[in-house]
Amino acid sequence: MSTRGKGWHHVNSQPDETGEKLPTESGQDNRRFLWWWEIALTVLSIASMVTAIVLLAVSDGKPLGDWTSPISLNTIISVLGAISKASFAFAVGSCIAQQKWNWFYRKSDQLITFDRFEEASRGPWGSMRLLRHIHVRHWTTLGPLIIILLLGFEPFLQAVITHVGRNDDRATMSADIGQSLDLDIGILSIDSHWSTMTVDSDPSGDPSDMTVEVPDWVITPDIGIGAAFFTGMYLASQGQRRDVRFTCGTGNCTWPLATSLAICSTCQDISSHLKRKDSYGTPSYSLEEIIVNSTSTSSNTTKPLTLSNPTGVPDSSASFFSSYVTSSNRQTISFRENPKTLIMAKEFIMAGESYAKNESAWEDVTATASECALYFCTRVYQSKVEQNVLTENVLGEWSERVNRSFEPVDVYASIRDYPEERMKKIAEMDAELNNSFPVGNQDFSRTDLQLAIPDDEAARLDLPKGTPLTFNVSQATTAGIVNFFNDKTNIEALDRYWSRPDGYASETVASNRIATASSVNDTLDNLSRVFSTWMRDIALHDTPHTGAAQQWTIYIKITWGYLVFPLFTMLVGLTFCVLSIWQTSSLGLSAWKGSSLASLAHGLDTDGHIAIRDCETVDRLEEKARTIAVKLGDNDGRLELCHTMMPLNNHAP
């Protein structure tokens, strides 16, 4: 027991001789166990966090559009996080406040330490001051540490929710693009006249007896052929291209690899076949391998393709190129064997751009020659639409003609006497023409032209099962397209397109262009593109290639790693609270926590009050509190912070 008076006191915080706790108000409070608020708020904090986690787990990976609540998920998680943090901070703050009583009940320390504990129970700044002040490795420091860590509680909880977007298939939306599988357009009807067709198999020009009676046909090409032809030339002049039609309900669509009929183009440099001849200093160039075959006469003629000009720079009569067109493989240089689906081959001898622009004299020019072809082919397309913009890649193209397709058939046996030997003769004549497509209105009746994608190529591209690999072109369509491209009027229009610049030519299509290898190649490539697009467009309604319409969907994505920090903070804080409650109970102290009334009732003893009562400012009070050592103990039957003669700890300010 201590006695009142001046000087240092001895305090007793131990049980009496009987082993019972002192009959103080503290013991009565302890029996009432005043921790219900802290326990209830801790349970509320944990419940709020569990609710948030469950809500996050249910929402993870779900479309944001499926969230139908008027309150957003982020708002609900923010509210739950705020409830959890506030409740937990209150419980931890109460336990820190209680620690000042437990701390001084266990040992003597500076009076300023009591103030630091009180400040720490109020927030992060006070907690940092307490940690700096006591700097001990004791579990008591967990409390202020948790108060500081709670600053990041809500930001980390909010960071858990992110959003990602991806294109999802929408079965209710259409996604179709054209693919031409069976092309049958135009009209082919038999005329009342029959003619005798003669074919010479001997390149030397000697006649043979390959003659057969064939019907005259009335060929009516589809109007779309002409539209595609001139559209292709116009787009080539403008440096533009035309995309295939499609339907895409969402503006974002993808399709499996699609196969389709097409028209392809290719160009070869045949300048090495040019023969130059100089006559009186004036050069001329010719391609002497070109064989012109006529089906209307009994003899063949050889006509070299020639380009010649007067010496000097060009005048109004100058020729900048000469060309020849054919549909027969036999009459080409580069395409004698392939492609076997030749629509048109066109040979050019070109003077070049420098001569056309008056930059070079004819005698100084080295002419070049090219041979270009348009032919039926098959293609594999990889198509997709993003933001209503179509992107297509051609993964492969082939001109594989199915054997025994486009063969002559004896459909007119009842009209004309076609004995078996005559049909054999027809087959021989067809083979002699290298199975080329005939030009003109005389031909046999034929089966459909069939093209195929090779099986090994289909396997290489891993085409989906059931993808069409065989394609048909009717005789009427073949005759219409081939005759259109070989029609003299259309060829002259195409030639005028490459005529000459600067207004030299009076007739042009779209705009003038020099007949150079690059311009010819670009034009024919554009023609083939437009024709292929047209073939697919007219098939969009009947044989659409169906894909998947996709819609950009925002999904809720939960980044669970960010929950580690809040959960760790709660776990450490819960540990601190349990230890604080257990320690308070084991010491037999009342749970005074941060009660100001308790501080007034059980604060400094008389000597302590005397020591600091003359300090008017907080700074003076703190300075004086660092020089006073106190300990919570019994003073005349009640607990007080009493002066002790124990040495002061060396704390930080």
Side-chain angles (χ1 to χ4, degrees), residues 204-264:
S204 66
D206 295 335
S208 71
D209 62 347
M210 279 198 174
T211 61
V212 68
E213 192 175 20
V214 296
D216 291 341
W217 298 93
V218 177
I219 303 172
T220 308
D222 186 87
I223 193 173
I225 297 175
F229 178 81
F230 289 103
T231 298
M233 292 176 63
Y234 174 77
L235 293 178
S237 72
Q238 302 299 312
Q240 300 175 3
R241 55 178 295 175
R242 179 184 169 190
D243 290 329
V244 68
R245 290 168 51 200
F246 62 86
T247 59
C248 180
T250 61
N252 294 283
C253 296
T254 59
W255 287 270
L257 296 182
T259 57
S260 179
L261 278 168
I263 290 181
C264 298

Side-chain angles (χ1 to χ4, degrees), residues 69-90:
S69 172
I71 304 175
S72 69
L73 175 64
N74 293 68
T75 301
I76 294 177
I77 296 301
S78 180
V79 170
L80 290 173
I83 294 173
S84 181
K85 174 187 173 181
S87 304
F88 201 63
F90 178 87

